[in-house]
Amino acid sequence: MTQADDRILETLADSDLILSPRILSANTDYSRHYLSTRLGKLRDAGLVDRVDEGLYRITDRGTAYLEGNLSADVLENENI
């Protein structure tokens, strides 16, 4: 997990919206390309869902991670 991953999850959770990498980029210090790459990793880990092409929302697993109920160590062992 990276600092960007935390920002992505926090932004999705705080907004409670379905967002694109472009919108996330406009609200963070990361490029759209980098966020697209990280969103793919977060999707593979089950922390975000791709609702449609280029649109993402946080999952219950992502919320559990933010709340401290899913450790980064567990995700590291899953190669995130």
Side-chain angles (χ1 to χ4, degrees):
M1 293 294 288
T2 68
Q3 184 178 12
D5 296 339
D6 290 345
R7 278 297 297 279
I8 292 167
L9 293 173
E10 289 166 358
T11 303
L12 288 169
D14 290 346
S15 70
D16 197 31
L17 296 172
I18 297 167
L19 301 175
S20 69
R22 182 176 180 193
I23 297 299
L24 287 164
S25 178
N27 290 286
T28 64
D29 296 328
Y30 302 102
S31 73
R32 181 174 50 170
H33 176 74
Y34 180 71
L35 291 173
S36 292
T37 300
R38 294 312 307 164
L39 282 161
K41 297 282 187 184
L42 293 172
R43 182 177 175 218
D44 291 345
L47 301 175
V48 299
D49 277 334
R50 190 174 83 181
V51 177
D52 200 355
E53 185 70 31
L55 296 174
Y56 298 86
R57 72 171 159 222
I58 193 167
T59 63
D60 290 340
R61 182 175 162 103
T63 302
Y65 168 77
L66 287 179
E67 292 174 347
N69 297 323
L70 177 64
S71 79
D73 291 337
V74 169
L75 296 172
E76 289 283 325
N77 290 334
E78 296 175 357
N79 295 318
I80 300 307

